[in-house]
Every structure is written in C-alpha cells, then in structure tokens.
C-alpha cells in the first residue's frame, strides 16, 4: 500500500500557493484602481474603526434605550471582545503573515493609513466589526442591515487603504461571525437556564 501523505501534502501546498497568488492579485487590482471619490471616505472609515471605536459609539447609543437595543449593545460588545482576543492573541500570533508591501511609488498614496506593526492575518478590524453586526442583528433586527453593510465597508476599507490582503479580511469575517455565534449561543443558554430555574 502506497503512502498517500506526500501527495496530500503536495496538493495542499499547491492549493495554498494558488490561493496566495489569487489573494495577491486581488490586492494589487485594488491598489491600481483609481477611486478618488472613495479614497478619503474609506481612509476615514478605516481609521474610525481602530480599536472598535465605531462599535463602541453604536453600543453606547443603543444602551440609552432599554429593552432590545440595550441587550443588543451588550451582546455586540461581548462579541467584539471575543473576536478581538481571538484575532489578536491567537490568529495573528499563529499565522504571522506579513503585511502587504506598499511601494514608495504607489500611484495613490493619499488613500493609505499607517501600516500596523502587527501581523496581517486575520484582519482584527473586520473580525470585530462583523462580530458586532452579527451579534446585534438577531437581538435588534432594525439595525441588522445598516450594521452589516458598515461591517462590509470596514472590511473592504482595510484592503483599499493598503494594510490587508482580501484573504485577511475574509478570515476576519469568518472569525467575527463565529465570535457572534458563541456569544449568542451563550446568551440563549443563559436565558434557557433561567427559565428552567423558575420552573
């Protein structure tokens, strides 16, 4: 019987190489596309998402209203905490992917934000923004669509401003969705436990 492990290893290596090449090509396509109207707005959005400032402001606003909005704010911030810790303390330290190379002669340097010192994979900004939107949406459906669109915009802004590859953003979105699922699952379990205790 032949050992198939070397073949599997080679196939995995080729797949990762191809995905990396596609990721690089998509990133470069964004960097050479002229979008002067979007550059300033996306640069501001990317900077505003630093340290989840947008999510904290949104949560503080929702917390002013009792009931669903306040509960959604708590769930959203909890999801941000899980996503941020997972992305920064686990994902970036395990993968250690280098940030994209930004040439000094970049055709549109005005769209860039400062290059972070941390690893590139996954995108922590995206993970936190998606986690907040995915946790808040089910608890307060009225804001599900706008927060979802905002999270998508934050994710794209990280590629547009030159600090992440598209693959980093996709991974961040998956991580953020998972973080929200964990928080929402824990919240449902807690509510169910209270109902059982009351009975």
């Amino acid at each position: 019987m032949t050992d198939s492990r070397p073949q599997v290893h080679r196939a995995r290596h080729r797949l990762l190489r191809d995905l990396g090449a596609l990721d690089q090509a998509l990133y470069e396509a964004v960097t050479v596309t002229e979008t002067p109207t979007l550059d300033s707005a996306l640069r501001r959005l990317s900077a505003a998402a630093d340290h989840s400032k947008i999510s904290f402001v949104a949560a503080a606003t929702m917390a002013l209203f009792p009931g669903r909005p306040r509960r959604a704010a708590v769930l959203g911030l909890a999801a941000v905490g899980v996503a941020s810790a997972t992305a920064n303390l686990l994902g970036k330290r395990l993968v250690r992917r280098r940030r994209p190379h930004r040439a000094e002669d970049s055709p549109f340097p005005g769209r860039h934000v400062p290059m972070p010192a941390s690893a590139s994979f996954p995108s922590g900004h995206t993970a936190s923004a998606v986690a907040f939107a995915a946790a808040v949406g089910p608890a307060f459906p009225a804001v599900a669509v706008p927060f979802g669109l905002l999270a998508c915009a934050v994710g794209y802004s990280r590629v547009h401003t030159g600090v992440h590859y598209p693959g980093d953003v996709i991974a961040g979105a998956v991580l953020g969705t998972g973080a929200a699922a964990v928080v929402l699952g824990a919240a449902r379990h807690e509510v169910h436990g209270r109902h059982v205790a009351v009975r």
Side-chain angles (χ1 to χ4, degrees):
M1 180 180 294
T2 59
D3 190 349
S4 62
R5 283 177 294 183
Q7 294 180 350
V8 172
H9 179 74
R10 285 194 295 270
R12 185 184 302 132
H13 177 74
R14 288 194 296 268
L15 176 61
L16 291 175
R17 182 193 60 199
D18 290 350
L19 289 174
L22 178 61
D23 208 16
Q24 179 71 36
L26 291 172
Y27 172 78
E28 291 178 358
V30 172
T31 64
V32 298
T33 302
E34 186 174 7
T35 53
T37 305
L38 292 175
D39 288 353
S40 179
L42 289 171
R43 188 180 67 248
R44 290 197 193 98
L45 176 63
S46 186
D50 287 348
H51 310 295
S52 299
K53 292 194 293 284
I54 296 174
S55 296
F56 281 112
V57 170
T61 303
M62 289 190 297
L64 297 175
F65 304 92
R68 279 192 170 190
R70 187 170 297 170
R71 174 174 170 76
V74 172
L75 292 172
L77 291 182
V80 168
V82 173
S84 179
T86 306
N88 294 302
L89 301 180
L90 186 62
K92 290 181 183 293
R93 294 186 179 185
L94 286 176
V95 179
R96 295 187 179 278
R97 186 184 195 185
R98 290 184 178 180
R99 295 277 177 171
H101 172 70
R102 291 199 306 213
E104 293 183 3
D105 59 348
S106 170
F108 313 115
R111 69 172 53 169
H112 293 159
V113 296
M115 185 68 77
S118 60
S120 188
F121 184 96
S123 167
H125 284 64
T126 306
S128 295
V130 170
F132 185 80
V136 167
F140 190 29
V143 298
V145 172
F147 281 2
L149 293 175
L150 179 61
C152 291
V154 168
Y156 174 73
S157 76
R158 301 304 284 171
V159 179
H160 194 89
T161 56
V163 294
H164 275 295
Y165 293 103
D168 303 333
V169 170
I170 293 171
V174 171
L175 193 157
T177 303
V182 168
V183 169
L184 292 173
R188 282 193 293 268
H189 181 74
E190 181 184 359
V191 171
H192 178 71
R194 287 177 181 174
H195 289 167
V196 171
V198 169
R199 291 177 187 175

